[in-house]
């Protein structure tokens, strides 16, 4: 069988060893130091092992790394734009006395040995230099710069890999192909020209238009090849996206189109990334690679793009002669009202205003239940997205009551609980401070450490309830701003978070205190009592602030319910 498109660097490197060697390595691995691969490293190892990163045979050594960062070339001069490196801690190197020729067992999060690394180099990289050269910026607004500067270990270890087995995936197995498998498929079907279409978005109309245009103009078959590893933070998760791809596949001719999922960890590196993507698709056996507007780009916190719209196309052009995959360049496409479809901007009617919906806008529109216009996407895609981003009335949410002891948190939360149960739209769980301390945190006291741990546990439980579209009501003192923020971040990922500050003045709380705890604290009988001898950091921007001095518990609860109603979390409420 001859390869129709030669793999980058000449041969496709499948780094998984044969069964006998694998058995031998497996038993030797018990004597080797273990490195637990981070998520990013695991994605990289998978593509190193299966040949998608050919001609790489492992993690870059120092010389290769320097040359890749500086010139986008490997030590032997072959084009390769992305530093593929293994970052480890100082302790790992020193505790295991690592040096050249040491071997390390690389493990998956489940503890499986995936590959053995034989070390060639150990060095401390200049991360800022790497960021500047590869990403063109050192701004931590760039997700990969942020990762490099804040989440990357200080030591790089280079070396060759011997894979014990290819990592497996348990989802969408019918669309998982390694480079050897797509190549085999293309040969079997007689596909000698294949466009490999990159995307990290659900395929909306513009993506489908571009993919089919690329195939049509080059008279090639189409491999829809979306990234399902790491993409830009905030992107639609790949489970949902793959359901969208499967749904939209019906619009393509099954005789000429295939869907394959690419487990790549993107770097959002614009120009360098585009070149890398082209090389990877060449390894999968594609003959053509489309690059459109701002390929694999991202923007800073003010919305300013890090890369020019056509910078990726220009950059790849400099290396094109050395690739065996042809670049298909696309101008920015816009929706033309007149032509009722997507067209290159320069061909669109003059004076037309272009409509555009960003990923963030789309998610907001879905959550608020707003109608998404037909020019933007297809009903079958939107149906999948609606499932994932339900309107507020279908989302789960957490109401988090915070405040001094005896401020009224439990009393109000209990009434809200009763009203929501009466309403019956979703299951409700009340995580009251005392109940939680009894069931989840019985060993904890009231030091800052213990209080934070307690709140984080509650936050975790509430986030699970919220994720599964229930309602969690938490009533805890939760005195620390930072911990409340962490809980908010966790929960807002999966649903709504409503912080209610029960802001009853301490004098009133003291008067209401049935257990006489304030008195005991003032007499020094109890330590760490919030409001007396322990701090309470008042929230700056709670969604609801209640001073219960002059109100009844029912009125306070009603305020919370009205807020939930006005924000769309519950429908028109029968007032008490
Ligand atoms: P990424 O480039 O990060 O993968 P997308 O999934 O949005 O992001 O894009 C997939 C491909 O489609 C890229 O080559 C991109 O340049 C191209 N593309 C997306 N939208 C447009 C558009 N409106 N005009 C031209 N090209 C586009
Ligand atoms: P926490 O949970 O904040 O420690 P509790 O709800 O256990 O506070 O206690 C608050 C006490 O104050 C209860 O005895 C409650 O009946 C009384 N109370 C009086 N007015 C109100 C009000 N408007 N809101 C809440 N509680 C009130």
């Amino acid at each position: 069988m001859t390869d129709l498109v030669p793999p980058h660097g000449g041969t496709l490197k499948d780094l998984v060893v044969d069964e006998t060697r694998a058995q031998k390595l497996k038993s030797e691995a018990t004597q080797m130091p273990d490195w637990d691969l981070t998520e990013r490293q695991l994605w990289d190892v998978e593509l190193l092992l299966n040949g998608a990163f050919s001609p790489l045979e492992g993690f870059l050594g120092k010389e290769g790394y320097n040359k890749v960062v500086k010139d986008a070339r490997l030590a032997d001069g072959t084009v390769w734009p992305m530093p593929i490196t293994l970052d480890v801690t100082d302790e790992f190197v020193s505790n295991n006395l690592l040096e050249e020729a040491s071997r390390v067992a690389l493990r998956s999060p489940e503890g499986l040995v995936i590959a053995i690394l034989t070390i060639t180099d150990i060095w401390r990289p200049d991360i800022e230099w790497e960021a500047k050269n590869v990403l063109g910026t050192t701004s931590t607004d760039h997700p990969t710069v942020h990762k490099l500067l804040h989440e990357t270990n200080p030591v790089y270890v280079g070396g060759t890999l011997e894979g014990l087995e290819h990592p497996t995936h348990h989802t969408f197995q019918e669309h998982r192909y390694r480079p050897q498998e797509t190549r085999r498929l293309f040969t079997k079907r007689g596909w000698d020209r294949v466009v490999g279409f990159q995307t990290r978005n659900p395929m909306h109309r513009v993506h489908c238009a571009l993919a089919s245009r690329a195939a049509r103009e080059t008279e090639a078959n189409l491999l829809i090849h979306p990234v399902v590893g790491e993409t830009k933070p905030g992107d639609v998760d790949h489970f949902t996206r793959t359901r969208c791809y499967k749904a939209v596949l019906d619009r393509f001719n099954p005789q000429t189109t295939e869907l394959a999922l690419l487990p790549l960890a993107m770097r959002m590196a614009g120009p360098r990334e585009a070149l890398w993507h082209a090389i990877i698709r060449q390894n999968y056996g594609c003959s053509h690679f489309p690059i459109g507007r701002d390929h694999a780009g991202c923007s800073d916190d003010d919305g300013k793009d890090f890369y020019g719209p056509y910078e990726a196309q220009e950059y790849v052009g400099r290396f094109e002669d050395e690739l065996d995959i042809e670049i298909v360049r696309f101008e920015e496409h816009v929706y033309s009202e007149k032509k009722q479809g997507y067209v290159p901007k320069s061909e669109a009617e003059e004076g037309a205003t272009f409509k555009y919906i960003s990923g963030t806008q789309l998610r907001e529109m879905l959550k608020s239940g707003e109608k998404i216009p037909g020019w933007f996407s297809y009903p079958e895609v939107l149906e999948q997205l609606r499932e994932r981003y339900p309107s507020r009335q279908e989302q789960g949410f957490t109401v988090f009551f915070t405040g001094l002891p005896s401020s009224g948190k439990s009393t109000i939360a209990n009434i809200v609980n009763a009203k929501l149960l009466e309403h019956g739209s979703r299951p409700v769980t009340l995580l009251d401070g005392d109940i939680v301390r009894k069931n989840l945190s019985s060993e904890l006291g009231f030091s800052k450490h213990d209080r934070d741990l307690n709140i984080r546990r509650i936050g975790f439980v509430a986030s699970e309830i919220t994720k599964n579209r229930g309602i969690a009501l938490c009533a805890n003192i939760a005195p620390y701003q930072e911990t409340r923020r962490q809980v908010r971040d966790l929960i807002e990922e999966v649903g709504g978070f409503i912080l209610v500050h029960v802001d009853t003045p301490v004098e009133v709380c003291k008067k209401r205190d049935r257990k006489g705890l304030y008195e005991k604290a003032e007499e020094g009988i109890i330590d760490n009592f919030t409001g007396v001898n322990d701090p309470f950091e008042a929230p700056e921007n709670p969604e609801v602030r209640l001073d219960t001095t002059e109100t009844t518990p029912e009125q306070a609860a009603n305020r919370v319910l009205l807020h939930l109603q006005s924000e769309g979390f519950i429908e028109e409420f029968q007032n008490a």
Side-chain angles (χ1 to χ4, degrees):
M1 188 176 87
T2 52
D3 278 326
L4 302 165
V5 179
H8 188 58
T11 40
L12 194 66
K13 313 270 184 182
D14 190 311
L15 306 180
V16 172
V17 296
D18 62 36
E19 189 57 31
T20 328
R21 176 86 181 137
Q23 283 308 333
K24 184 163 181 283
L25 289 175
K26 222 174 251 174
S27 62
E28 290 170 6
T30 54
Q31 308 299 320
M32 298 178 200
D34 286 315
W35 176 256
D36 294 329
L37 293 162
T38 63
E39 204 181 325
R40 156 76 53 91
Q41 294 167 351
L42 192 63
W43 296 119
D44 285 354
V45 167
E46 177 168 2
L47 295 196
L48 281 166
L49 294 187
N50 75 17
F53 288 174
S54 294
L56 265 52
E57 293 180 4
F59 287 103
L60 290 175
K62 190 175 177 191
E63 191 195 347
Y65 165 79
N66 283 334
K67 191 125 169 74
V68 166
V69 172
K70 211 161 121 283
D71 305 324
R73 287 178 189 281
L74 299 172
D76 70 0
T78 311
V79 177
W80 185 269
M82 199 57 72
I84 307 297
T85 52
L86 183 74
D87 57 300
V88 300
T89 57
D90 278 314
E91 301 77 56
F92 181 68
V93 174
S94 54
N95 292 350
N96 295 297
L97 306 171
L98 293 187
E99 55 185 13
E100 204 187 315
S102 302
R103 293 196 298 169
V104 176
L106 303 182
R107 287 186 188 265
S108 69
E110 296 80 34
L112 273 181
V113 180
I114 307 255
I116 306 297
L117 174 78
T118 305
I119 295 179
T120 53
D121 302 77
I122 302 172
W123 77 102
R124 279 179 170 275
D126 179 345
I127 293 289
E128 289 212 6
W129 175 73
E130 177 180 329
K132 185 91 200 96
N133 277 269
V134 177
L135 306 164
T137 174
T138 50
S139 159
T140 50
D141 287 358
H142 191 295
T144 307
V145 175
H146 188 273
K147 242 196 170 99
L148 277 172
L149 295 180
H150 298 296
E151 293 167 30
T152 303
N153 295 305
V155 182
Y156 281 1
V157 178
T160 50
L161 283 183
E162 286 179 280
L164 299 192
E165 53 189 304
H166 289 291
T168 46
H169 295 279
H170 303 291
T171 53
F172 306 112
Q173 286 171 329
E174 69 278 23
H175 296 292
R176 304 272 176 185
Y177 293 91
R178 295 197 288 271
Q180 272 181 347
E181 293 166 339
T182 44
R183 283 173 173 271
R184 228 175 277 140
L185 184 86
F186 298 162
T187 310
K188 189 169 142 212
R189 294 191 184 167
W191 291 10
D192 54 359
R193 296 165 69 83
V194 183
V195 164
F197 185 75
Q198 146 74 24
T199 183
R200 38 165 268 274
N201 273 300
M203 285 187 65
H204 299 301
R205 286 187 67 170
V206 69
H207 300 98
C208 291
L210 287 168
S212 48
R213 180 178 281 242
R216 205 170 48 242
E217 286 182 0
T218 57
E219 296 190 8
N221 295 87
L222 175 61
L223 181 71
I224 300 176
H225 206 200
V227 171
V228 294
E230 229 171 77
T231 61
K232 200 163 92 175
D235 276 351
V236 178
D237 68 273
H238 67 83
F239 301 107
T240 307
R241 279 194 287 119
T242 306
R243 286 197 292 275
C244 294
Y245 303 137
K246 284 171 64 119
V248 95
L249 207 53
D250 285 343
R251 295 186 178 263
F252 294 88
N253 178 353
Q255 290 176 321
T256 57
T257 307
E258 190 56 72
L259 167 66
L261 306 176
L262 177 64
L264 171 75
M266 285 180 72
R267 269 61 165 184
M268 305 313 300
R272 288 239 190 180
E273 180 111 11
L275 180 56
W276 189 40
H277 284 181
I279 290 172
I280 293 168
R281 272 42 181 240
Q282 182 183 324
N283 285 332
Y284 276 88
C286 300
S287 57
H288 292 77
F289 185 64
I291 302 182
R293 185 196 176 277
D294 193 24
H295 186 101
C298 56
S299 49
D300 66 17
D301 291 353
D302 298 327
K304 190 174 168 299
D305 289 341
F306 282 109
Y307 314 106
Y310 301 108
E311 215 179 309
Q313 295 183 2
E314 286 156 25
Y315 182 77
V316 176
R318 289 192 232 155
F319 301 88
E320 216 168 335
D321 290 350
E322 296 173 70
L323 304 180
D324 284 299
I325 187 164
E326 212 173 291
I327 305 301
V328 186
R329 291 176 167 73
F330 279 124
E331 190 189 327
E332 176 173 6
H333 276 52
V334 293
Y335 185 73
S336 154
E337 210 56 85
K338 208 159 122 208
K339 296 182 184 156
Q340 296 278 299
Y342 282 86
V343 294
K345 203 170 182 176
S346 57
E347 291 171 24
E349 57 269 24
E350 229 169 275
T353 47
F354 301 122
K355 296 185 281 197
Y356 176 73
I357 300 176
S358 74
T360 317
Q361 277 169 333
L362 177 65
R363 284 189 294 277
E364 285 310 315
M365 289 169 85
L366 288 164
K367 283 183 195 164
S368 63
E370 213 174 308
K371 194 174 171 308
I372 316 289
W375 60 263
F376 180 71
S377 197
Y378 301 108
E380 66 270 27
V381 173
L382 293 174
E383 193 186 314
Q384 295 298 334
L385 293 174
R386 276 216 181 84
E387 270 291 307
R388 171 64 183 79
Y389 300 101
S391 69
R392 281 192 165 166
Q393 274 189 26
E394 293 164 280
Q395 273 174 44
F397 63 86
T398 294
V399 185
F400 197 100
F401 295 86
T402 177
L404 293 172
S406 294
S407 55
K409 302 179 294 297
S410 298
T411 308
I412 301 165
N414 266 295
I415 299 173
V416 172
N417 183 40
K419 292 289 172 194
L420 290 169
L421 285 171
E422 181 180 309
H423 187 250
S425 70
R426 306 176 187 81
V428 194
T429 306
L430 177 59
L431 297 166
D432 188 69
D434 294 337
I435 303 170
V436 170
R437 279 198 173 262
K438 195 162 136 229
N439 291 293
L440 272 184
S441 296
S442 55
E443 85 288 14
L444 298 181
F446 292 89
S447 65
K448 175 161 196 315
H449 169 270
D450 282 9
R451 283 178 190 272
D452 281 350
L453 188 56
N454 183 39
I455 296 302
R456 278 203 296 272
R457 285 180 189 171
I458 294 165
F460 171 73
V461 175
S463 76
E464 287 296 309
I465 292 167
T466 305
K467 184 171 83 186
N468 292 310
R469 304 191 185 174
I471 301 173
L473 305 175
C474 307
N476 307 88
I477 302 173
Y480 298 109
Q481 176 91 8
E482 173 57 21
T483 325
R484 289 191 303 253
R485 196 193 53 79
Q486 286 169 5
V487 171
R488 177 189 287 277
D489 287 351
L490 191 69
I491 292 173
E492 281 185 341
E493 285 260 308
V494 291
F497 183 82
I498 300 97
L499 185 67
V500 179
H501 181 196
V502 186
D503 192 12
T504 310
V506 69
E507 304 73 46
V508 180
C509 296
K510 271 183 211 170
K511 272 193 224 133
R512 288 181 184 167
D513 178 12
R514 282 175 294 192
K515 300 176 208 152
L517 297 173
Y518 277 93
E519 219 166 288
K520 284 188 187 150
E522 276 165 355
E523 286 166 13
I525 304 170
I526 357 183
D527 289 332
N528 299 120
F529 192 78
T530 308
V532 179
N533 44 21
D534 217 51
F536 181 82
E537 298 169 5
E540 280 161 22
N541 296 306
E543 275 74 11
V544 182
R545 194 188 301 275
L546 304 169
D547 177 346
T548 67
T549 316
E550 304 287 340
T551 65
T552 64
E554 286 74 16
Q555 286 170 326
N558 194 47
R559 279 272 318 281
V560 176
L561 295 169
L562 289 173
H563 176 81
L564 293 174
Q565 187 179 297
S566 81
E567 287 296 310
F569 284 111
I570 51 177
E571 58 199 77
E572 292 294 295
F573 212 85
Q574 295 302 311
N575 213 331

